[in-house]
């Protein structure tokens, strides 16, 4: 499925996508995931390792890419493991704010906080 065309629907779709990929790969019963670079490519990645999965996943929204940058890579570099769980928790928190916030200002503040965190990397 290609997902929504853009905007808030696409952001929620991609947050859900990274959550599903992380959750289905997590733990002793996690499965290998196949990621195809794009529809016209026969190149792909088969892995359950957070770094390989999410470095090859082509995300279109800044929000989903920011979460991957802020969780998977730093967690893997600092501890060697845990990128999937870190991403899953972060994505679920952001999804909750995005879905339950009555005010666009709340989403704006969250986005500003993520931008500042990315500047520190």
């Amino acid at each position: 499925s290609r997902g929504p065309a853009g905007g808030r629907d696409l952001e929620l779709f991609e947050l859900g996508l990274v959550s599903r990929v992380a959750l289905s790969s997590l733990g002793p019963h996690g499965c290998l995931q196949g990621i195809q670079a794009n529809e016209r490519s026969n190149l792909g990645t088969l892995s359950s390792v957070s770094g390989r999965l999410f470095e090859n996943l082509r995300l279109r929204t800044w929000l989903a890419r920011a979460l991957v940058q802020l969780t998977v890579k730093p967690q893997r570099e600092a501890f060697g493991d845990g990128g999937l769980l870190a991403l899953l928790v972060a994505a679920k928190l952001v999804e909750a704010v995005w879905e339950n916030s009555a005010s666009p200002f709340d989403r704006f503040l969250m986005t500003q906080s993520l931008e500042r965190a990315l500047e520190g990397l």
Side-chain angles (χ1 to χ4, degrees):
S1 166
R2 294 180 60 116
R8 186 170 184 258
D9 289 338
L10 179 60
E11 289 172 334
L12 286 170
F13 175 81
E14 286 196 348
L15 288 172
L17 174 69
V18 296
S19 295
R20 287 189 304 277
V21 170
L23 185 60
S24 64
S25 304
L26 188 62
H29 303 293
C31 301
L32 290 173
Q33 300 295 315
I35 305 289
Q36 186 175 352
N38 63 55
E39 292 175 352
R40 294 179 295 278
S41 172
N42 27 347
L43 299 176
T45 298
L46 184 63
S47 182
S48 65
V49 176
S50 61
R52 271 193 95 188
L53 280 175
F54 291 103
E55 287 168 4
N56 292 297
L57 189 59
R58 300 295 178 245
L59 299 166
R60 294 190 289 165
T61 64
W62 175 89
L63 185 59
R65 288 191 312 269
L67 283 180
V68 169
Q69 284 182 293
L70 286 168
T71 56
V72 173
K73 188 177 179 184
Q75 181 73 20
R76 190 180 69 233
E77 288 174 356
F79 304 105
D81 197 6
L84 292 171
L85 183 58
L87 178 60
L88 180 61
V89 170
K92 289 296 185 183
L93 287 170
V94 170
E95 269 183 278
V97 170
W98 233 239
E99 290 176 343
N100 298 309
S101 175
S103 167
F105 189 67
D106 293 337
R107 294 188 295 272
F108 171 77
L109 288 176
M110 184 184 62
T111 303
Q112 292 296 312
S113 298
L114 289 172
E115 286 176 352
R116 274 187 247 118
L118 281 171
E119 289 171 3
L121 290 181

